Amino acid sequence: MSTAAPAPPRHPLDGLPQLADYQDQPAQQPAGAVGKDAYLRLGFARRGERTVLADLHRRAPLLVQQALYFDEGMPDLPCVFMISTSGGILQGDRYAVDITLDPGAQAHVTTQAATKIQQMDANYATMVQDITLATGSYLEFLPDPIIPYRDSRYASRTRLCVAADATALYAEILLPGRKHHRDGEIFAYRLYSAAVQGVRPDGRELFAENLVIEPGTWPVDGPGLMGDYHVLANAILMTPPETAARVAAQAPVGHTGTGDDRTATGISVLPNDAGLIYKVLGMETEPVRAQVRAFWSVVRREVTGNEVPDNFRWR
């Protein structure tokens, strides 16, 4: 009789063609095994003037403790920090996050620190995110930057299911690696794949974007790609067309700064009246974050009538 442990359940992204070369199992523990199969479910509901975190389920190494109400611009807005109890995303990790907003609910979701995709010598890591917004709801999903370490392999899939009168602001900031670590790790990772899909609650597909970066196969610093920039921000705003038009008219676009502070920003309209997509390129993290924050400020003001408060010292 075989005493081998049963194979872990197949993850939704395991069949991606860009992951075909990384099917070897980690020596430490099989992919998706206990401790590597993280899950987080957040459900927000309206209670009078305030939104509360009404549903919370977590499985290590993902963790949320409670909703906090510290935003001076929107005191009734629950702010939730997604926390990892591990040292980052490791080879063989399979993460899943579900976020749901009931009618009229509002929430701000972020991370407690940058997402570190650790160096890998086997397999890969994946993240599946399902974000659902009911009628009249509002979500700011603004995690800290993603840092892919040397030889890391990572794939994510995010599905934004947003009612036609709801607003979701979803943003990612991707660093080139540990840029200032030792001699630098600029585009030294193996694979970064990020797919985002926008749909309506009835299942109608609105748009899809799939970013696949393999620096060892196709140089990232070429014309039409990153050029001589190192940091990329991608912000997707799903919102009604009239709101999208107001935001687009005010969003900061073009070239700003010089040297390491320079950025290049652009904005486009998403298909099927889904909203806007806003992209930023920069040399360093903070100038790029500042541009995303400026875009976020316009979105919040136009959607809720409130202002984004001044930066905390630690943010």
Side-chain angles (χ1 to χ4, degrees):
M1 178 181 295
S2 172
T3 58
R10 184 175 177 84
H11 193 266
L13 301 187
D14 283 346
L16 289 177
Q18 56 264 42
L19 297 173
D21 292 337
Y22 308 115
Q23 294 300 313
D24 51 335
Q25 287 292 332
Q28 301 85 358
Q29 197 171 10
V34 176
K36 304 183 73 63
D37 181 26
Y39 177 67
L40 180 64
R41 185 178 71 231
L42 305 174
F44 295 93
R46 191 85 175 188
R47 297 288 187 270
E49 294 299 316
R50 171 177 285 194
T51 296
V52 300
L53 179 58
D55 182 25
L56 171 60
H57 178 77
R58 58 205 182 197
R59 184 167 66 235
L62 283 177
L63 171 68
V64 159
Q65 295 173 320
Q66 64 180 13
L68 304 174
Y69 296 87
F70 58 76
D71 192 311
E72 295 178 355
M74 297 180 68
D76 296 322
L77 181 75
C79 301
V80 170
F81 288 84
M82 297 190 299
I83 300 170
S84 173
T85 58
S86 71
I89 294 180
L90 310 176
Q91 58 192 28
D93 280 357
R94 304 292 187 262
Y95 282 24
V97 174
D98 288 328
I99 300 174
T100 301
L101 273 69
D102 285 354
Q106 298 178 324
H108 177 99
V109 178
T110 184
T111 54
Q112 96 283 16
T115 298
K116 305 171 184 68
I117 306 174
Q118 297 285 347
Q119 186 171 351
M120 300 179 184
D121 58 21
N123 210 256
Y124 52 88
T126 58
M127 167 76 81
V128 172
Q129 299 179 127
D130 287 288
I131 299 173
T132 304
L133 274 68
T135 181
S137 58
Y138 174 75
L139 173 67
E140 300 170 347
F141 187 89
L142 300 169
D144 277 352
I146 298 169
I147 310 175
Y149 286 18
R150 185 185 302 276
D151 292 328
S152 62
R153 312 90 181 254
Y154 175 80
S156 69
R157 190 273 292 158
T158 300
R159 184 175 184 268
L160 301 171
C161 180
V162 180
D165 64 347
T167 293
L169 173 60
Y170 173 89
E172 291 183 335
I173 299 176
L174 176 65
L175 274 57
R178 293 180 292 181
K179 183 175 178 178
H180 302 290
H181 174 72
R182 297 180 181 175
D183 57 348
E185 287 184 2
I186 299 177
F187 303 125
Y189 54 90
R190 294 286 190 91
L191 170 69
Y192 179 83
S193 175
V196 181
Q197 179 189 27
V199 302
R200 292 296 184 215
D202 62 5
R204 182 165 65 98
E205 296 183 1
L206 303 177
F207 66 88
E209 182 187 49
N210 192 10
L211 176 67
V212 179
I213 306 175
E214 297 177 282
T217 302
W218 191 274
V220 182
D221 56 357
L225 300 172
M226 293 291 290
D228 59 353
Y229 291 102
H230 290 161
V231 181
L232 168 67
N234 193 40
I236 291 175
L237 175 65
M238 293 186 68
T239 197
E242 57 275 14
T243 306
R246 296 196 305 269
V247 171
Q250 301 174 63
V253 294
H255 293 81
T256 62
T258 59
D260 286 348
D261 290 332
R262 60 194 171 94
T263 63
T265 60
I267 193 167
S268 298
V269 176
L270 289 170
N272 300 306
D273 291 329
L276 302 170
I277 186 166
Y278 183 73
K279 294 183 182 290
V280 186
L281 292 174
M283 289 300 296
E284 297 291 343
T285 306
E286 289 311 311
V288 172
R289 285 173 60 132
Q291 292 296 99
V292 172
R293 183 178 178 83
F295 182 69
W296 166 33
S297 297
V298 174
V299 171
R300 179 184 282 196
R301 183 168 57 248
E302 289 301 321
V303 176
T304 71
N306 299 298
E307 298 293 333
V308 171
D310 292 337
N311 246 332
F312 288 114
R313 292 179 182 269
W314 60 88
R315 297 289 295 159

